[in-house]
Amino acid sequence: MPELPEVETIVRSLQPLVGQKIEGLDVINNVVIKQQDYPPGELRGRVIGQISRRGKFIIIGDGGNRFIVVHLGMSGRFYLDDAANPRPRHTHVVLVLQEGQELRYFDPRRFGGIWLTYEPNKVVRRLGPEPLGPELTRDYLAAQCHNRKVAVKTLILNQGVIAGIGNIYADEILHGAGIRPDRPAGSLCPEEIESLRQAMTETLELGIANRGTTFRDYRDGLNLPGGFQNMLQVYGRSGQLCPACGEPICREVIGGRSSHFCPKCQI
Ligand SMILES: [Zn+2]
């Protein structure tokens, strides 16, 4: 599933489109439209005013009060292509631009969706703070962990606590912090909470610097794969050796999610 670094990479790769004129929005499969406050035809002749990210959501503005909010779900792609290239199967929505280009929303599994809305903030209103933003302080994290019995991995996956972290980066962050994913959040001491905060920043920034993680589905806004899959320390590496200490990586299901950790580095 595309997580914060993947969605951020898409948004950055699409920045050259800001200012481009919108020819129209083709809705091929209505089932992915989660909300429609205005008819798609109203976008015709508008320009792309902004392309930004909040959590795992992409937010595109038309320079006025209309917004297209995109979530890629498990397997979605949102990428620029030449209009002359055939649209692949599972292309559900297309933002047609000038000069023969189009932004395609492609999603075989359809866990994602698109909101045509005047109020993008309402779509993302339940999200917690951005992990790379100023609100994610040690005090905030300590307050969220305080007295909580829930596994720390489950806590940081909760989009209402922190926006944008998914299964891959949660495992990598906890390895970076030296904390087992099944530790009750309330058992973390202040030093561990600070390690967690630092590992969150470092891991997500490294993921962005390497343009995200591609196993199979993920592509950036130019339909190119990322490179962070080659730098993973624990995720998807059960039985292989921990790059830090040489111990074999363990895999356990925690909170219903497949979890990978080093039994020696992470306590
Ligand atoms: Zn280790």
Side-chain angles (χ1 to χ4, degrees):
M1 172 196 270
E3 304 180 27
L4 186 154
E6 288 75 41
V7 179
E8 180 67 23
T9 301
I10 292 171
V11 163
R12 290 186 185 185
S13 63
L14 294 178
Q15 289 308 309
L17 299 181
V18 171
Q20 273 222 28
K21 197 172 160 194
I22 299 169
E23 299 282 345
L25 186 79
D26 285 355
V27 178
I28 299 152
N29 188 347
N30 237 318
V31 76
V32 300
I33 304 292
K34 304 288 184 190
Q35 184 181 336
Q36 186 175 315
D37 294 346
Y38 57 84
E42 283 192 11
L43 290 168
R44 189 182 180 86
R46 307 290 307 176
V47 293
I48 295 181
Q50 66 157 86
I51 305 175
S52 59
R53 179 191 61 75
R54 176 77 173 95
K56 301 176 193 171
F57 291 84
I58 300 166
I59 302 173
I60 299 174
D62 77 338
N65 59 356
R66 296 174 198 82
F67 293 86
I68 306 167
V69 180
V70 179
H71 194 286
L72 298 173
M74 295 293 290
S75 56
R77 295 180 190 173
F78 190 64
Y79 67 97
L80 189 69
D81 207 342
D82 284 338
N85 292 335
R87 293 174 181 172
R89 193 170 163 233
H90 307 301
T91 302
H92 304 307
V93 175
V94 175
L95 187 65
V96 182
L97 304 173
Q98 60 192 8
E99 293 164 14
Q101 288 192 306
E102 52 189 37
L103 265 173
R104 295 174 173 176
Y105 176 75
F106 162 93
D107 186 8
R109 296 178 69 184
R110 296 192 313 208
F111 284 106
I114 291 196
W115 291 254
L116 304 179
T117 179
Y118 296 116
E119 296 174 302
N121 291 338
K122 278 196 176 171
V123 179
V124 299
R125 70 187 181 281
R126 291 202 175 90
L127 295 181
E130 287 290 323
L132 298 177
E135 292 170 59
L136 213 293
T137 60
R138 180 171 33 175
D139 286 350
Y140 174 81
L141 212 46
Q144 293 296 321
C145 289
H146 184 66
N147 273 344
R148 296 291 307 275
K149 291 194 177 75
V150 67
V152 62
K153 175 169 176 182
T154 306
L155 184 90
I156 65 172
L157 284 175
N158 182 338
Q159 299 301 296
V161 174
I162 303 166
I165 297 173
N167 208 32
I168 297 174
Y169 291 92
D171 281 0
E172 294 297 308
I173 287 166
L174 289 164
H175 181 262
I179 299 167
R180 277 179 65 109
D182 55 358
R183 278 273 301 280
S187 74
L188 269 57
C189 70
E191 290 73 24
E192 288 174 320
I193 287 172
E194 178 56 17
S195 297
L196 179 60
R197 195 193 61 77
Q198 280 182 19
M200 215 174 267
T201 305
E202 286 165 12
T203 306
L204 295 171
E205 284 181 347
L206 200 59
I208 294 168
N210 287 278
R211 301 175 42 264
T213 304
T214 298
F215 286 115
R216 187 183 56 199
D217 293 313
Y218 166 71
R219 298 289 184 277
D220 73 4
L222 305 176
N223 211 15
L224 300 170
F228 195 58
Q229 63 278 7
N230 303 317
M231 300 177 70
L232 296 173
Q233 307 287 297
V234 288
Y235 182 85
R237 299 189 66 247
S238 63
Q240 298 179 52
L241 304 183
C242 170
C245 75
E247 193 78 4
I249 302 295
C250 294
R251 178 185 171 278
E252 271 178 33
V253 175
I254 296 165
R257 306 299 299 273
S258 176
S259 303
H260 311 78
F261 61 95
C262 171
K264 197 169 164 191
C265 291
Q266 294 175 254
I267 53 171

